[in-house]
Amino acid sequence: MNNRDKTTMSVSEMRQMLGIKKTDSYWLVHRQLFETVLVAGKMRVVLESFEHWYANQVKYKKVAGPPPGAELRAYSYSIPEIATLLGISDSTVYEIIKRDKLETFEVASWRRVRKDVFEAWYKSQRKYRTPEDRQRDAERENTSMTLPQMARLLGISREEVYSLVRRKRNRGVFEIITVVDKKRVTLDSFERWYQRQDCYQKVTEQTSGLDKELEEVDDSERTVLLDADKMSFTVKEATLLIGATTREIYKMIEDDILEGIRVGKMVRIRRAALEWWLSSQDNAYEKEER
């Protein structure tokens, strides 16, 4: 066997290696997918060229040997691979490609995306996440809360929370992180702020008095109320809870006895404010009794 024979193989050998039919083997040769040479008047396939082709396609597999597409998979993803990576359907991947104009290329009529193109797109968005990033996101979510969650915890409006976080004196106090495109406040920084201030009180620490009032409301009146864990109440609900008229409630808000917050066109009273008022009434009653 001469040197040329060691670097080439016959078409029949290639056919046996891939386990394909005679017509299929000559079709591959005809498409010039790899280099061929004539040796003693017979066509032979250059092994180096064949192996390069084999490593950059996934349609044909050797009967005995490594799987195809090693080089192709090293620098690109198939549509099903991206779908599995992001936990979405193939059709959603195609929608992303079309919407975000991701560059693709074809191998045996199958579209693929270069890994560098995918990574650039992935870093530009937050909606779709890999399993590793989903796990990291979950860990960060467990140690933080969204601004709406902070608002519910303090029984105040979202607008007030946003204003609170943006205040000059609170710059650097709240540690803000972004998880899946949402701003979140770390629990540690919130607790440090909470312990150093006396203007706000957690709703969860102000429930006992109001819960008692809810229990004393007639069943017919209770239908206008929601559950006892509400963070704020409408004026009508407040009248039932503390036994005051609508006019008296508005007057108490005007006189800063009760803190009213505006949510759209509605006025609501924080649960903590009602708790404070009920507590002050109890204290005043006890003093009178003495």
Side-chain angles (χ1 to χ4, degrees):
M1 183 180 293
N2 58 37
N3 291 336
R4 177 59 60 85
D5 291 335
K6 294 179 182 179
T7 59
T8 63
M9 63 178 168
S10 66
V11 174
S12 61
E13 287 173 326
M14 178 196 71
R15 180 165 61 249
Q16 293 172 2
M17 180 181 293
L18 296 177
I20 57 178
K21 297 179 180 180
K22 185 174 182 179
T23 52
D24 292 331
S25 64
Y26 281 106
W27 181 79
L28 291 176
V29 171
H30 175 73
R31 292 191 62 198
Q32 299 180 340
L33 297 173
F34 33 75
E35 185 181 354
T36 58
V37 293
L38 289 175
V39 178
K42 293 185 177 181
M43 181 175 291
R44 298 184 66 85
V45 176
V46 177
L47 289 175
E48 183 179 0
S49 176
F50 172 84
E51 291 298 339
H52 176 73
W53 164 81
Y54 184 77
N56 284 278
Q57 61 84 43
V58 291
K59 184 175 181 179
Y60 298 93
K61 185 182 182 305
K62 293 179 180 178
V63 174
E71 291 183 17
L72 184 66
R73 289 191 176 94
Y75 69 85
S76 67
Y77 290 123
S78 68
I79 302 305
E81 285 172 340
I82 293 177
T84 300
L85 184 62
L86 299 180
I88 57 180
S89 65
D90 289 7
S91 60
T92 301
V93 176
Y94 282 113
E95 290 173 5
I96 291 172
I97 290 172
K98 181 179 180 180
R99 182 193 66 215
D100 297 340
K101 297 180 174 57
L102 267 64
E103 180 184 354
T104 63
F105 65 97
E106 288 191 2
V107 176
S109 299
W110 292 332
R111 295 174 75 179
R112 298 185 69 89
V113 179
R114 291 184 59 89
K115 289 185 176 181
D116 56 351
V117 171
F118 173 82
E119 292 298 333
W121 167 83
Y122 185 75
K123 292 178 181 178
S124 71
Q125 58 82 48
R126 294 288 181 182
K127 181 178 181 179
Y128 302 100
R129 313 293 284 162
T130 63
E132 295 78 10
D133 281 343
R134 285 196 292 272
Q135 181 176 350
R136 281 193 288 268
D137 291 342
E139 293 171 354
R140 299 179 75 197
E141 287 175 349
N142 289 335
T143 59
S144 64
M145 61 181 161
T146 64
L147 296 181
Q149 287 173 334
M150 180 175 165
R152 290 194 293 271
L153 181 60
L154 296 176
I156 61 180
S157 67
R158 295 188 184 188
E159 290 75 11
E160 190 172 347
V161 161
Y162 293 135
S163 175
L164 179 65
V165 171
R166 287 195 297 263
R167 287 175 189 168
K168 188 174 181 180
R169 67 172 178 269
N170 288 331
R171 289 178 184 173
V173 174
F174 294 106
E175 183 183 355
I176 307 297
I177 61 175
T178 301
V179 182
V180 195
D181 251 4
K182 290 184 178 180
K183 299 289 185 182
R184 302 179 69 92
V185 177
T186 62
L187 298 181
D188 287 343
S189 68
F190 172 83
E191 288 299 330
R192 287 194 296 269
W193 164 82
Y194 185 74
Q195 296 301 325
R196 291 200 297 264
Q197 59 81 44
D198 56 8
C199 294
Y200 299 89
Q201 196 160 10
K202 296 177 184 177
V203 170
T204 53
E205 294 180 356
Q206 292 287 316
T207 58
S208 57
L210 199 54
D211 289 342
K212 183 178 180 181
E213 290 294 321
L214 282 168
E215 291 174 1
E216 295 175 355
V217 175
D218 292 340
D219 288 340
S220 61
E221 296 174 325
R222 189 186 299 275
T223 56
V224 303
L225 301 176
L226 298 180
D227 63 83
D229 293 326
K230 289 180 61 174
M231 310 305 176
S232 64
F233 296 84
T234 66
V235 171
K236 184 176 181 180
E237 290 169 341
T239 64
L240 295 173
L241 291 170
I242 67 175
T245 65
T246 299
R247 180 175 296 180
E248 287 171 337
I249 293 292
Y250 280 114
K251 185 66 167 61
M252 293 167 73
I253 294 173
E254 184 179 343
D255 294 340
D256 290 331
I257 297 174
L258 286 178
E259 182 182 357
I261 56 176
R262 187 167 292 279
V263 180
K265 295 183 179 180
M266 294 183 62
V267 174
R268 301 184 72 87
I269 297 94
R270 289 198 303 146
R271 186 187 189 96
L274 289 173
E275 283 283 353
W276 172 86
W277 189 88
L278 288 168
S279 177
S280 68
Q281 297 305 299
D282 289 340
N283 292 337
Y285 177 78
E286 290 176 2
K287 289 179 181 179
E288 289 178 2
E289 286 290 301
R290 293 173 188 170

